[in-house]
Amino acid sequence: MKMHAAPCTPFQLSTQSTVQVFESFVKMPGVNVRDVEAAKFIDAYAAFLKRQGKLPIPGWVDTVKTSPSKELPPQQMDWYYIRAAAIARHIYLRKTVGVGRLRKVHGAQKNRGSRPSHHVDASGSVDRKAMQSLEKIGILEQDEDKGGRRITQAGQRDLDRIAQQTLEAEEEEEDDE
């Protein structure tokens, strides 16, 4: 003689499956970009972009100034990768970002001699070209509704994966000490 389980209503079934999905979600902690220090993440993502070799680099990177407030071009050889990583992180944290907002973020105080210093926005061309380079490799896409650019699904997946690796490396360093 077979025992049959008590029939359950669709509501009970959906509630039970929802609880199971929620419990499995809670058990699997996800790491995202917000969980990692900004400087460590940007360095790790810039190294990833450089190692990958897909990011198109403009020819003028060795001669251009990044802002009117600067006197010299950047001294680091891989500054473009660092700027692209910083832009990708910034757009990840804020849904849609345009060139104007990035100019303000990357701007600095201009030393005007004996006169008081004032904030000067960074070069829009550098940020625009970095965003276009990230678009070409599929990290960013243009947002037609709001304007500006947003992160793609593949870009979010890549950034989360790099954040996970950075956090694991950081924990290993703490364990070694």
Side-chain angles (χ1 to χ4, degrees):
M1 180 171 174
K2 288 187 175 181
M3 298 289 288
H4 293 287
C8 53
T9 64
F11 176 74
Q12 290 172 330
L13 184 62
S14 68
T15 305
Q16 183 181 6
S17 61
T18 304
V19 169
Q20 289 172 345
V21 169
F22 180 73
E23 286 176 354
S24 67
F25 180 73
V26 170
K27 289 178 187 174
M28 187 177 71
V31 174
N32 63 20
V33 176
R34 293 179 193 274
D35 300 331
V36 183
E37 263 184 61
K40 290 182 181 180
F41 175 78
I42 289 171
D43 289 342
Y45 192 57
F48 170 77
L49 289 173
K50 189 172 185 177
R51 205 172 43 244
Q52 194 179 27
K54 292 183 180 177
L55 190 72
I57 305 294
W60 43 256
V61 253
D62 53 343
T63 58
V64 73
K65 288 188 342 177
T66 57
S67 173
S69 64
K70 305 290 184 188
E71 292 183 10
L72 297 172
Q75 299 302 308
Q76 289 181 316
M77 294 301 293
D78 58 348
W79 72 268
Y80 191 78
Y81 294 103
I82 294 171
R83 177 64 65 99
I87 288 172
R89 180 183 181 276
H90 188 84
I91 295 175
Y92 180 97
L93 296 177
R94 296 155 185 86
K95 301 299 179 206
T96 304
V97 178
V99 175
R101 178 58 51 194
L102 288 173
R103 287 186 66 199
K104 189 171 286 280
V105 168
H106 293 131
Q109 294 293 320
K110 181 172 176 76
N111 181 1
R112 302 184 331 144
S114 61
R115 296 173 295 169
S117 298
H118 288 288
H119 177 82
V120 178
D121 292 346
S123 169
S125 177
V126 171
D127 290 338
R128 187 178 314 104
K129 296 297 182 188
M131 289 169 72
Q132 288 170 355
S133 296
L134 288 169
E135 254 184 281
K136 286 181 182 173
I137 62 172
I139 303 298
L140 301 180
E141 65 185 2
Q142 288 194 349
D143 188 356
E144 291 82 19
D145 299 336
K146 298 179 184 176
R149 289 178 177 82
R150 64 176 173 228
I151 200 100
T152 61
Q153 290 280 334
Q156 185 172 355
R157 192 176 339 107
D158 282 351
L159 268 64
D160 286 340
R161 185 170 40 85
I162 299 297
Q164 173 80 32
Q165 293 171 357
T166 306
L167 197 61
E168 288 172 356
E170 191 176 306
E171 288 173 358
E172 285 179 12
E173 288 177 8
E174 289 176 3
D175 292 342
D176 291 343
E177 292 176 0

